[in-house]
Amino acid sequence: MNLVDLGYAQAGAGDALTSHAQSAIAHIVGFPDDVPDEARADLYTGYRKRWDANHPAVLYAVIDGNYVQATAEMEKNKKVEKVEIGMHHVFSYSQQEFGKLKTTQPALHAVMQPIRENIVDYCSGCLSDLKGKARKIIKKENPTPRAPNLDFSDWLMDREKGIIPEMQAKCKTAKKRGDATADEVRLKEAIAAFLAKWKP
């Protein structure tokens, strides 16, 4: 394997995803945090088309109610019932209709169920990748300013993020767990003594 070619191809795929995410941000209101039903449906239609291009339908023969991949002889035999099963056939059923097949045509359902699940997972992964890339783009374009570093004394006395409120919270939690060493009164007295010594 030529890793240079691999790296080049991977970078190209990354550039393509960046371009697609930028288009999604520009044309889908609220993306990526919100994806309207119509937009999601359109994206999923495209994802399913791509999946279908990579996974052509397979011809099955129906033998005694069971579905088996058709052999060359079965294909030629006009007396053998045959059906092509792929993305289009699987998604010609609504979710409700597909669910009923488990009872009405269990053999057909058994063949189509893993195909449907694979396609659903594929579509979900594609959308997740698109949303993830869009979030990275937005974060890069609108970086969150870093909080300034506090002096040690300021950090120590910080009522929200300092060590003192953290000790108080942990002591309270430990006491609820039944920790006999978690003495809130003793901690309060110790903090008061410490602050009396530390404060300028």
Side-chain angles (χ1 to χ4, degrees):
M1 176 183 289
N2 188 319
L3 295 182
V4 173
D5 291 344
L6 174 62
Y8 184 86
Q10 182 201 354
D15 291 342
L17 181 59
T18 297
S19 177
H20 298 326
Q22 290 170 332
S23 294
I25 293 169
H27 296 98
I28 303 175
V29 177
F31 193 84
D33 293 328
D34 181 47
V35 185
D37 291 342
E38 184 178 353
R40 183 185 298 270
D42 287 346
L43 286 171
Y44 270 47
T45 297
Y47 297 152
R48 286 197 290 266
K49 286 178 66 177
R50 181 64 179 179
W51 191 94
D52 183 56
N54 291 328
H55 303 83
V58 175
L59 186 67
Y60 283 82
V62 185
I63 308 296
D64 297 327
N66 297 309
Y67 289 77
V68 297
Q69 286 194 28
T71 64
E73 290 183 0
M74 291 176 179
E75 283 189 51
K76 296 175 183 177
N77 192 337
K78 294 182 179 180
K79 293 182 179 180
V80 176
E81 181 184 352
K82 294 177 284 290
V83 59
E84 267 195 344
I85 298 178
M87 187 279 291
H88 290 289
H89 187 78
V90 170
F91 280 90
S92 65
Y93 297 89
S94 68
Q95 183 67 39
Q96 186 176 12
E97 291 170 340
F98 186 75
K100 289 180 179 179
L101 285 178
K102 193 170 185 179
T103 301
T104 59
Q105 298 186 62
L108 178 59
H109 183 274
V111 172
M112 294 199 298
Q113 176 70 13
I115 298 173
R116 192 178 181 101
E117 288 179 349
N118 286 338
I119 296 174
V120 169
D121 287 346
Y122 176 81
C123 293
S124 177
C126 287
L127 182 57
S128 179
D129 289 345
L130 188 67
K131 290 167 72 173
K133 176 57 71 173
R135 289 192 176 98
K136 287 182 179 180
I137 292 172
I138 292 172
K139 185 176 181 180
K140 187 175 181 179
E141 293 177 350
N142 303 279
T144 302
R146 294 183 60 183
N149 291 327
L150 298 175
D151 291 337
F152 177 77
S153 183
D154 292 335
W155 168 80
L156 186 67
M157 305 303 295
D158 192 306
R159 293 181 178 274
E160 294 182 1
K161 299 179 181 179
I163 190 65
I164 292 174
E166 182 179 347
M167 286 192 297
Q168 292 170 326
K170 286 191 175 183
C171 184
K172 188 174 184 178
T173 301
K175 185 177 181 180
K176 287 182 179 179
R177 292 200 312 266
D179 187 340
T181 66
D183 189 331
E184 290 183 282
V185 174
R186 186 181 175 194
L187 177 62
K188 184 177 181 180
E189 292 174 350
I191 290 173
F194 171 79
L195 292 178
K197 187 71 175 177
W198 183 265
K199 285 182 178 178

